Every structure is written in structure tokens, then in C-alpha cells.
Amino acid sequence: MADLHFGDDQPTNSERTAVDAVVPEIDAATVTETERLVRGGRSRRQGLRHLLLPVLHSLQHEIGWISPGGLNCAAERLGVPPAEAYGVATFYELLRTTDPGHKEDVVHVCVDPTCAIAGNGELRASLEASGARVHASPCLGQCERAPAVFVQGVSRPDRVPADDDEDFRLPQAGDTGLRVLRRTGVVDPTSLDSYRQHGGYQALAQAIDMGPDAVIAAVSESGLSGRGGAAFPTGIKWRAVADEPGPDKHVVANCDESEPGTFKDRIVCEHDPFAVIESMTIAGLATGSPHGWIYIRGEYPRATARLEGAIAQARSAGLLGDDVAGSGQRFDIELRRGAGAYICGEETALFNSIEGFRGEPRNKPPFPTTHGLFSQPTAINNPETLINVLDIVTDGPEAYRSVGTERSPGTRLFCLSGRVAVPGLYEVPFGTPLGNLIEMAGGPVGSLAAVLLGGAAGVFVGPDALDMPLSLEDTREAGATLGSGVVTVFDDTVDMQAVVVRIAEFFRDESCGQCVPCRVGTKRQHEVLVELQSSGKALSPRRSELIDDMALAMVDASICGLGHTAASAVRSALALGLIGNSS
Amino acid sequence: MSGVATETAVTIRVDDQEVAVPEGATILDACNAAGVDTPTICYGPTLTPVNVCRVCVVELDGSRALVPSCSRPAEEGMVVHTDSERVRHSRKMVLEFLATGVDLAQAEEMGQWAEHYGADPDRYVPGGETMNEPVRVQDNLYIRDYDKCVLCYRCVEACGDDAQHTYAISVAGRGFGARISTEFDVTLPDSACVYCGNCVAVCPTNALQFKTEFDLRQAADWRPEDQTVTQTVCSYCGVGCNLELHVQDNQIVKCTSPDDHDVTQGNLCIKGRFGWNYV
Ligand SMILES: Cc1cc2nc3c(=O)[nH]c(=O)nc-3n(C[C@H](O)[C@H](O)[C@H](O)COP(=O)(O)O)c2cc1C
Ligand code: SF4
Ligand code: SF4
Ligand code: SF4
Ligand code: FES
Ligand code: FES
């Protein structure tokens, strides 16, 4: 790389300190020398670049924005061109590159559907009246306690006010049929001893006895599929990574959880963090990957703290490090925080984000199993997927398959919110009818109008779909999806037009902007829906055709899943007649 | 594609033809070999494919979504359709989408493809958001008119990994708000830019323009039909870069270098690219 040019802007002392606070961690960093497949296949050394996002977080936190002097300091220390560092900083919603003119905390108020139903407008108005610096935010992953708020601290820790007075109880607490949520709300999430008393780390010991091949075989036989949205068979993914040669392979836990309506990973990471660490460790040993990473969204301060605490305790106990539990194998975990970008949950965007690049998805193939993080073989999984592995190892695949359906074995977490009596996280066997699940949550409030399955990237179904079994095969057949387990319930008092406009706005705001079909398509789709909303008229055939034309191009020609799904909820709302009729 | 030609060939089917291309070649290479014309925007023969514009997509048997021909390696036995209903639709929509927000008046080739596929940018909601950027005139060498920018990343690649290794510009912002930018949008003279002009050379829409061309266009006196091109070798140093001097009314108005020249691959430095300015 040629010598870099830096402008004249100098950092203040506090900015320099903020950068220093992150960069000395070099020694602890798992990867000190990295190579990246630059889109087509070039590699280049990026020594410290993977510290860019942590450094930007540190600067933002110190003075409330990233100033030209601060950016220069960060870029120079890390050897990153300042233009590229600016490109990265401007990618994230939690990072500011303009001077806010104050040093007060920023109060993020959720504007997504569940919180809108729950009265976020009034909340926002009262916060503003009290002088708070309010910022509209997409779903904050707290839909079960809507309307949601996240406070981004300046020189003070971030916090979630709802965490303060929460006496956590799972709606299903005490249900012995639970698997993934068995310890949640029962175990002390800050104590390794407590985790062990509840059966923790038995699975790791057993996995070490079984050996990598047997573990992967068990995962394959269990039929476990990904819970992050794409439902890819986990065993196949792990096998592929295990078969790749070379010592530098990675296991990533994708805790970015930003699909509107999803809050399961937050609850699991807050209340059973050791289970995430233990199952990641099993994945690391099984695939022969010494490097573990947790990428967690920036709006989850408590889950972050609990995971960090769990990593530290596991490390002290020899359950992470150079010789994991006497296995002779190395596995350790680094945690990285996102900074407000839904797209960074897409696996390849997540890799770019960790590597210190803009969170733009990569074209596939090549796939993460061969070219993942730092272009090295990578097994990336959702935490819910990972935790399932614990029971698969201890109880065996047959026992695992004893619940659920033949083609969707096991249980599934569902995030119920909106107009239900008891919003919250529920675990049920795959194949449970939608209506039964809603009844478990106390039934609908008011007269049921529609259910959004799978979040913004999912589809609306009507009251006639309550019999639909929630399995991968049945939802697929019905043209629906389980996605990340979102079940948002709407009654006939909800303004569905506003809900759909907001979903379109969400995609417009969250598109990374890389590819034309999605960058422009999400924008124009939103404009058409706003026009429809303000006209109060029925959707014209011309506009209907335009919506379909845009949707087809986004599905067919976009780079990633965001573009592929950006029209699905909109079109299902039209098909169900939730919007588009004259009012 | 340079540097990937090997002895082994792969055979793929493009529409009704079987074509053999060297291993490592892309579907686009195969289309070219088959004589099938393919629209491209972000692709450049000397640049690493970024596959972001998606105008070159083709239908590949066995693939659910369409695939970008410019970056997808050809594999033995692939069956590719370049003119199916779905392909025509997505190409049309890409061109239509771009035309709704970007000034493509000087992007001739894109205009021709838009006509070919029947793009109709007028059917969108009136008053929709556009790029809406002022022209950046910050020196006497070249201007940046991001109203014309399709965000093809070509300038970024040319300034960075693919040629210049200066990294003066990057994509900043996100989604429809994404823009090509220096850090904090500082002016070019304040940025890392060394005025090699390689970004200008690769820009497909004239968003990046030599100042001479810009001034002549402002004066409604830009006449490519009256221009002659003279080949010469740059005399500033011993490297031997080929220059193409574009002359209008006995004035040099622009300087390029051939893409296929083995020294430059289309790239120059400030002396070759702009030296004539001082002559
Ligand atoms: C726009 C977008 C956002 C995504 N967000 C997440 C996320 O927050 N968490 C997650 O686990 N997977 C997310 N995914 C899916 C991941 O790309 C990937 O498939 C998943 O992490 C793999 O893990 P699994 O097989 O255990 O589901 C997202 C995908 C897309 C296209
Ligand atoms: S589909 Fe959207 S989010 Fe995905 S790469 Fe393209 S622009 Fe980015
Ligand atoms: S003129 Fe050269 S150095 Fe300047 S921005 Fe363009 S490519 Fe980069
Ligand atoms: S300025 Fe030109 S080369 Fe650069 S992204 Fe825009 S259109 Fe492409
Ligand atoms: S926190 Fe508001 S919708 Fe999820
Ligand atoms: S030319 Fe292939 S995606 Fe742009």
C-alpha cells in the first residue's frame, strides 16, 4: 500500500486516549495479520484494520461523534486510508460524523410496528418535552416490552431503561418440556458455577470424548437447521468447514439480531450466556477452528456485558484458551459490537464489518465455509442454532428428533409481540399450529386482523392461517416463512397502511446501497406506498404493476437477502387486502 | 481477463451456442466469445469485478436468482440464458432505476441499452428523490458532478487497490444516501488525491470530467465529432506510457491511455494525464 495521506486535523487529548484505549489490545487480538479477498480475488494485508470499528465506537462514546481529528488519529494508528475510515464511519447509525453540538446521551426510541402500536408516539413526545435528545430507531429488539428505548451514552455507559426494573420471568418458566430455554430465567447468568449446577459444560466434555467427526455426524443426523432465517442444515455447514485444510478457521455467533420483531437472541444471551459460549466451543473443536467471534448488535449493552463476563470466566476456568478443557485444542472468543446496521446480520456483511470494511454483503459464491471471515473457512451460526447442539450432543440425535416434525425436528423459539395478551419469548415444537402459539401467549387482544410471520423480511398471513403448522415445510408450502421466529399480531384497530409504509421505510433505510435493484428499488417502493397512503384511493393497476416489476427485479438481481425479501411483506399485505383498497 | 489464461478450457452453453473459454474466465468472457453483446456498467476490463450494478445479469440453470456475468466464473457445463424474460426484465429495471435518480444525459451507452430494453423511468412517483448534488469544481484539472454518478465503484477501485493505491475516495453513507466521497467531503486538493486522473478515465457516466471538457460543455462547444486523437509516448519519464491526445481546434482537450496497453492498462500519472495543461 502506498504511503497514506492524512489531513491536518489533529485529535484532542481525549480522542487520542479513546483510540489508545482500543489499539493496545493488539496483543490480545486473535488475528493480527489478516488477508481479505477483495471482491474478485486479490489479497492484501490488513494488520490492524479489524480494530477500526472498536476504535470508532470508542471515539463516538468519548465525545459523542467522530471528528475529523479523531478519525485521522484512528486511521493513522491503524494504517487505514482516511477516506475509507470515513466510508466505514458513515455506514453505521450509532456513529455520527457531524458535530451534534452537545455531549448529552442520545435516546433512541423504536419506531417499528410493535412499538408504534404500543404508543411510541406519546413516549417520544414526553421524552422530547423533558429535553432528551431523541433519535428514531428501527426495532431495538425489545418488542415484548414495547415501546422500547435504548440510551446511547456519551462518556457514560449505554443503557436500556427497561433493564433496571426487570424481574425476568419467562412466560413458560417451569415448563419441563423446554430445551433451548431450559435454563433461561433459572440459572444465574453471571456465574459459571451456577451454569455447571444446571448441567453446563457436560456437553463439551462429551463432545471432546466423542471427537469432531462424531459430533458433526450427530448434528447432521439431528436434522438441525439454522435459526437465523435461512434454515440451512447446520451439519452440512460444519462438515464443510471441518473438511477445509489449514489452521486458521473461524466460528462466528451471529448475535446481530435486527430483524424487526426479533428479541430471542437478546434474551438468550442475557440469561444463558454460558450456553452460547459452550456451544460455540463445541463448534470450534468440531470444525477445527481455533478462532471464535461473537458479533452482537450495539444496542444490547446487558447481553454484551453478560457474554463478556462469561467469556472471562470460561477463560479463567480453562474452558477457553490454548488447551480447552484438557482437549489439547485451542479455542478462544473475541466479541465485536455492531453499530446500528441491520445489514450486518447478513453473514458476509458481518465479516466485512469485523474486518473494518463497510458492511456490504459479498457476492456468493464463494461461500463462508471456504471464504468467510478474513477469507478463511468460517462456520457462522445463530445463537439459537448453537444452543440446540448441547442437547444433540448429550441426548443424541434420536432423542432430539422426538419432538417436532419429520422434516423440521426439534423446537423453535418464537418472539410474540403486538396485540397479544402476554408478549414474550416462547419455545414450542416445530409444527405447532400458529393459533395454538398465539393462545399460549394469552390469545389475541381485540379482533385479529393479521399476523406478520418472519418480521419485515417475512409475510403477512390472515386469520384463516391459524391452523397452519409452524414447520419449515408447511410455511414454505403456504408461501410464508418462519424467518427468525417473529410473530407480530395485529388487530383491526391497527392502521395497516402505516405499518406497511414503515416496513418499506425500514428497507429503504437499511439497504447498504451497494446494488442498484435494492438501493433504488427499496427507495421507489417506499415512495409508491407513501403515495398510496396519502391518496386514500385504491391501488391503481399501473402502480400495482410497478410494485410487481420492482419486486421481481429485487428478488432476481439483488446481491443479498435484504433485497430479495424487501418486497415480500408489502406484496403479501396487498394480496391479503390489508392495504390497497380505497379507504 | 488478464493473467488467468491457462491451457485448460471450460465449455459452457450461452443461449444456443457452446463456447470454450480458459479456466478462470467469467460468464461475461464467454458471452463475448460467443458474440453475445452484454450491457455492463460497473465492470471494467482492468478492474476487479465488484458486481454491484447488476445490469449484466444472466439466467443460470440451477441457480434460483440471476447471476452477475461479469464476476461469476464460467464452470464446465453451465447453461446460461442471456435474453430470457427474466434477464430482460432485470436489465430493464436496473437501467430504469438508475434513470429515475441520476442524470444519464452523457452516458451514451447506457442510454442505448435503456432504449433496447424499453426502460421507462417516467412511470414512477413524481418528485421522487434524486442524487441532487452540486457540481464540485475544486481545481483546474477535473470536476466531479455526482448528479451523474451511478455508484459503480469504478473510480474507487481505480484510486485504490486496482491501480493507484492512493485511496483518496471511498463510498460513504448508506442506501440511497450513499455517495462517493473523500473523508468528510474535504476538497480534492485537501485530500490524498494525486491527480492521476485514473478515476476520470474509468467513469462510465461523465460524472468525473476533465475541466477542459466541462468548460467546453458549459460553453456548448464540446464537439467530439470535430476531435482528432493523436497517439504519442509520454516524455516525462522513462516508463513509456502511451498517451492518446484528444484535440479540438488545435487544443488538447483531454488525455487518455489505451486500456490494453501493457504498461498503463489505461492508467497514467498527473504528468502524463494533465501535463499538457501547462504546456
Ligand atoms: C439482511 C439480513 C440480515 C440477517 N440478520 C441476521 C441476524 O441478525 N442474525 C442471524 O443469525 N442471521 C441473520 N441473517 C442470516 C445470516 O446471513 C446467516 O444465514 C445466519 O447467521 C446463519 O446462521 P444459522 O444457519 O444458524 O441460521 C441475516 C440475513 C440477511 C440477508
Ligand atoms: S441487496 Fe441491498 S443490502 Fe444487499 S447488497 Fe444489495 S443493496 Fe446491499
Ligand atoms: S485523480 Fe487519481 S488519486 Fe485522485 S481521486 Fe482520481 S484516481 Fe484517486
Ligand atoms: S463517479 Fe463515475 S466512476 Fe465513480 S462511482 Fe460515480 S459513476 Fe462510477
Ligand atoms: S423494539 Fe420496537 S418493534 Fe422491536
Ligand atoms: S457489470 Fe456486472 S454487475 Fe455491473
Side-chain angles (χ1 to χ4, degrees):
Chain A
M1 188 184 284
D3 286 345
L4 298 177
H5 169 279
F6 300 93
D8 298 331
D9 296 295
Q10 296 297 321
T12 61
N13 282 340
S14 61
E15 286 171 326
R16 201 180 292 281
T17 311
V19 173
D20 286 345
V22 177
V23 182
E25 285 174 22
I26 299 166
D27 292 344
T30 313
V31 180
T32 50
E33 248 179 37
T34 62
E35 296 206 328
R36 171 180 184 242
L37 190 82
V38 182
R39 300 201 176 93
R42 290 188 176 210
S43 60
R44 56 176 148 149
R45 269 175 206 285
Q46 294 295 347
L48 295 176
R49 186 158 184 160
H50 67 104
L51 292 174
L52 181 56
L53 189 51
V55 168
L56 293 175
H57 260 305
S58 182
L59 284 167
Q60 168 72 38
H61 183 251
E62 186 62 31
I63 62 162
W65 71 297
I66 300 180
S67 74
L71 186 95
N72 259 345
C73 178
E76 202 164 353
R77 286 292 292 279
L78 301 177
V80 176
E84 289 195 1
Y86 180 72
V88 171
T90 52
F91 193 83
Y92 297 99
E93 197 57 29
L94 294 183
L95 305 178
R96 285 196 65 140
T97 48
T98 51
D99 188 350
H102 63 81
K103 287 188 105 187
E104 290 160 47
D105 296 348
V106 180
V107 181
H108 297 260
V109 178
C110 172
V111 295
D112 267 325
T114 299
C115 291
I117 299 173
N120 64 352
E122 297 89 85
L123 174 68
R124 197 174 161 173
S126 76
L127 283 165
E128 272 164 358
S130 74
R133 308 284 181 169
V134 174
H135 186 86
S137 168
C139 176
L140 287 165
Q142 311 175 39
C143 330
E144 88 280 25
R145 49 196 196 192
V149 170
F150 159 70
V151 182
Q152 186 184 12
V154 177
S155 308
R156 268 185 296 265
D158 296 344
R159 46 191 197 92
V160 170
D163 286 349
D164 297 345
D165 48 26
E166 190 195 0
D167 171 19
F168 181 78
R169 247 190 103 251
L170 213 56
Q172 287 166 294
D175 184 337
T176 50
L178 298 184
R179 288 181 172 182
V180 175
L181 296 180
R182 190 163 56 232
R183 286 168 304 269
T184 304
V186 177
V187 74
D188 174 356
T190 63
S191 158
L192 175 58
D193 287 340
S194 172
Y195 180 65
R196 285 191 141 133
Q197 277 154 24
H198 288 89
Y201 278 104
Q202 284 174 12
L204 177 64
Q206 214 162 323
I208 291 171
D209 280 349
M210 289 162 70
D213 284 337
V215 169
I216 295 177
V219 171
S220 296
E221 282 160 33
S222 75
L224 177 63
S225 63
R227 309 295 203 239
F232 189 83
T234 309
I236 294 179
K237 190 182 284 190
W238 287 21
R239 181 81 265 162
V241 175
D243 286 346
E244 286 293 315
D248 284 319
K249 301 193 263 185
H250 307 266
V251 165
V252 179
N254 184 348
C255 310
D256 194 50
E257 184 158 81
S258 307
E259 182 66 52
T262 320
F263 47 86
K264 67 192 178 82
D265 300 337
R266 186 198 91 238
I267 289 184
V268 162
C269 292
E270 284 181 352
H271 299 283
D272 200 7
F274 286 99
V276 179
I277 308 300
E278 183 186 2
S279 53
M280 281 181 77
T281 310
I282 293 173
L285 300 194
T287 57
S289 310
H291 311 296
W293 301 80
I294 293 177
Y295 187 93
I296 185 163
R297 69 178 295 190
E299 296 88 343
Y300 281 179
R302 184 160 72 181
T304 303
R306 297 246 168 104
L307 286 166
E308 280 172 339
I311 291 170
Q313 286 185 50
R315 215 177 264 147
S316 310
L319 297 166
L320 289 175
D322 286 338
D323 178 13
V324 170
S327 65
Q329 276 184 272
R330 181 191 153 72
F331 185 74
D332 210 334
I333 299 176
E334 265 201 68
L335 181 143
R336 287 299 154 86
R337 289 175 60 214
Y342 166 64
I343 190 57
C344 287
E346 196 283 336
E347 52 198 13
T348 59
L350 185 152
F351 302 148
N352 280 342
S353 179
I354 292 183
E355 292 175 24
F357 291 82
R358 291 164 55 79
E360 293 172 352
R362 305 172 185 167
N363 207 69
K364 291 184 265 191
F367 293 96
T369 47
T370 59
H371 294 77
L373 187 57
F374 304 111
S375 277
Q376 292 161 340
T378 303
I380 177 166
N381 281 116
N382 180 269
E384 180 190 347
T385 315
L386 288 166
I387 293 178
N388 272 287
V389 171
L390 301 175
D391 280 2
I392 293 170
V393 168
T394 51
D395 304 346
E398 262 152 65
Y400 183 83
R401 298 188 72 105
S402 66
V403 301
T405 70
E406 175 57 30
R407 281 187 288 162
S408 308
T411 63
R412 188 72 211 253
L413 300 185
F414 287 100
C415 309
L416 275 90
S417 73
R419 301 289 284 164
V420 285
V422 190
L425 185 56
Y426 294 83
E427 178 176 4
V428 295
F430 266 116
T432 302
L434 175 60
N436 295 21
L437 179 63
I438 294 176
E439 284 310 317
M440 281 177 75
V445 174
S447 163
L448 181 72
V451 178
L452 180 58
L453 282 182
V459 295
F460 286 99
V461 296
D464 60 337
L466 291 177
D467 293 339
M468 180 168 65
L470 297 174
S471 68
L472 297 171
E473 58 278 12
D474 290 293
T475 47
R476 192 174 301 142
E477 197 173 310
T481 172
L482 293 179
S484 53
V486 175
V487 179
T488 313
V489 179
F490 302 91
D491 69 356
D492 59 3
T493 65
V494 178
D495 176 358
M496 294 309 290
Q497 184 70 252
V499 170
V500 176
V501 166
R502 171 54 206 158
I503 289 173
E505 183 181 63
F506 173 81
F507 283 109
R508 181 203 66 183
D509 292 349
E510 300 299 329
S511 162
C512 83
Q514 189 181 198
C515 67
V516 175
C518 167
R519 176 177 79 238
V520 186
T522 54
K523 174 79 189 164
R524 301 296 174 229
Q525 172 174 271
H526 177 250
E527 288 170 354
V528 169
L529 289 164
V530 168
E531 181 197 57
L532 173 67
Q533 183 183 35
S534 53
S535 76
K537 295 193 191 119
L539 187 71
S540 69
R542 204 172 125 82
R543 284 290 179 249
S544 168
E545 186 190 344
L546 180 58
I547 287 179
D548 289 347
D549 280 358
M550 294 193 290
L552 180 57
M554 287 195 277
V555 168
D556 258 356
S558 293
I559 293 181
C560 85
L562 188 147
H564 295 153
T565 56
S568 96
V570 170
R571 293 180 82 207
S572 67
L574 284 165
L576 283 177
L578 297 173
I579 62 165
N581 310 309
S582 55
S583 49
Chain B
M1 299 253 315
S2 54
V4 290
T6 64
E7 296 308 310
T8 30
V10 289
T11 305
I12 83 165
R13 189 165 190 86
V14 177
D15 300 329
D16 298 329
Q17 301 178 56
E18 300 274 335
V19 278
V21 288
E23 199 178 313
T26 60
I27 294 176
L28 180 63
D29 295 328
C31 292
N32 290 338
V36 173
D37 227 4
T38 308
T40 59
I41 299 173
C42 63
Y43 167 80
T46 62
L47 303 173
T48 308
V50 291
N51 50 243
V52 295
C53 78
R54 317 304 279 185
V55 82
C56 70
V57 286
V58 295
E59 197 169 338
L60 170 65
D61 280 5
S63 167
R64 202 152 40 103
L66 304 177
V67 304
S69 62
C70 65
S71 66
R72 185 67 177 259
E75 283 166 39
E76 186 62 38
M78 274 182 167
V79 177
V80 164
H81 311 274
T82 70
D83 199 34
S84 67
E85 183 69 36
R86 283 171 68 198
V87 169
R88 284 198 305 271
H89 179 78
S90 278
R91 290 182 177 181
K92 172 185 112 160
M93 292 303 291
V94 164
L95 293 157
E96 197 171 286
F97 275 156
L98 287 175
T100 60
V102 184
D103 167 12
L104 297 177
Q106 294 172 28
E108 260 171 55
E109 211 183 300
M110 259 188 249
Q112 284 158 13
W113 282 113
E115 203 176 304
H116 176 86
Y117 288 111
D120 174 15
D122 295 331
R123 63 181 176 138
Y124 290 76
V125 177
E129 201 175 315
T130 63
M131 291 297 276
N132 195 22
E133 289 286 332
V135 185
R136 287 165 171 78
V137 186
Q138 299 170 340
D139 50 67
N140 274 319
L141 302 184
Y142 77 96
I143 64 99
R144 296 178 292 154
D145 180 3
Y146 291 136
D147 258 356
K148 297 188 172 63
C149 175
V150 292
L151 286 161
C152 68
Y153 289 55
R154 283 168 71 157
C155 53
V156 177
E157 298 286 299
C159 188
D161 289 318
D162 276 344
Q164 186 55 28
H165 294 269
T166 298
Y167 308 92
I169 46 175
S170 168
V171 181
R174 191 165 80 191
F176 200 78
R179 295 290 184 275
I180 306 297
S181 182
T182 58
E183 64 275 19
F184 293 93
D185 197 22
V186 298
T187 63
L188 280 180
D190 278 342
S191 77
C193 176
V194 296
Y195 290 97
C196 65
N198 293 334
C199 53
V200 183
V202 296
C203 180
T205 63
N206 238 6
L208 307 178
Q209 255 177 63
F210 292 95
K211 182 69 169 21
T212 37
E213 174 174 346
F214 177 73
D215 289 341
L216 286 168
R217 281 185 187 272
Q218 293 291 93
D221 194 27
W222 177 252
R223 287 174 277 115
E225 63 284 1
D226 295 338
Q227 292 169 10
T228 55
V229 179
T230 312
Q231 304 267 354
T232 172
V233 174
C234 183
S235 57
Y236 274 101
C237 73
V239 172
C241 296
N242 265 26
L243 303 183
E244 297 164 331
L245 300 174
H246 301 240
V247 178
Q248 176 179 318
D249 300 337
N250 287 326
Q251 295 268 343
I252 303 171
V253 292
K254 142 168 155 175
C255 174
T256 54
S257 183
D259 271 355
D260 55 4
H261 186 249
D262 51 359
V263 175
T264 67
Q265 295 205 332
N267 300 311
L268 294 171
C269 76
I270 182 171
K271 293 179 183 136
R273 183 84 68 189
F274 294 106
W276 45 273
N277 258 18
Y278 310 117
V279 176

